[in-house]
Amino acid sequence: DLAPDRARFPRAFTLANDGTGHPFVSVPCDGTAADLLVLAHEIGHACQALTPDAPLLPPIQRECAALLCERTLALAEPSLAPLLSRRLARMGRHTRALGQALDTPDAPYDYAWNYPVALTLSGRATSRLAAADRATLVTAPGPPVVAVNPNPAVPPAATVPL
């Protein structure tokens, strides 16, 4: 049962397959702009899950897809840019830990080491887009894919069946 439930699912997550062959995104929402960036991040993971090589993609590529979606949202809605900058700075703090791990081959794996590399790659990819390409990327036509749980008895969460 994947119904929105903050007690069971206090953090955002994406399932590559919800049991029906489709990705599933769940994002606990408080109604803030930060929720939009988290939702964009998780949609990036869901989009990446739709690629043929999804099961084989390393974590760095998964995080690149997620961060590209966040950056794209900030291009479409510039008022989110300062908030995105703060989020990216928090992720970037893992750079030092990654450097230390590279000097310590027997250090236990930490998923957060993927963020510094993904931040750099997604930033370069976004900055290399021509202005016309950016406009196309953020204004692509299509139906909305986000459904917000309307049940006030359930803690608010956004779900995205793709």
Side-chain angles (χ1 to χ4, degrees):
D1 174 27
L2 296 174
D5 181 347
R6 277 191 187 253
R8 291 184 313 146
F9 308 120
R11 296 183 58 186
F13 68 93
T14 299
L15 298 176
N17 183 337
D18 66 358
T20 68
H22 298 95
F24 179 86
V25 170
S26 178
V27 178
C29 295
D30 296 319
T32 67
D35 294 338
L36 294 174
L37 290 172
V38 173
L39 181 60
H41 186 98
E42 295 304 324
I43 287 174
H45 286 307
C47 290
Q48 158 275 305
L50 294 170
T51 65
D53 295 331
L56 305 174
L57 290 178
I60 288 173
Q61 284 182 290
R62 289 185 224 143
E63 291 306 323
C64 280
L67 292 170
L68 278 169
C69 280
E70 285 190 62
R71 291 176 185 274
T72 301
L73 178 60
L75 288 173
E77 181 49 61
S79 67
L80 294 173
L83 182 59
L84 176 62
S85 293
R86 289 191 297 276
R87 279 180 51 79
L88 298 181
R90 285 193 303 273
M91 288 181 191
R93 73 177 186 262
H94 301 292
T95 303
R96 184 174 174 192
L98 173 60
Q100 291 171 338
L102 293 173
D103 292 335
T104 312
D106 59 341
Y109 175 73
D110 183 348
Y111 187 89
W113 296 339
N114 293 289
Y115 294 126
V117 178
L119 285 168
T120 300
L121 294 175
S122 65
R124 288 188 181 174
T126 305
S127 68
R128 290 184 179 178
L129 285 174
D133 293 331
R134 288 182 187 183
T136 301
L137 189 62
V138 300
T139 60
V145 296
V146 177
V148 176
N149 176 24
N151 184 349
V154 177
T159 58
V160 182
L162 296 175

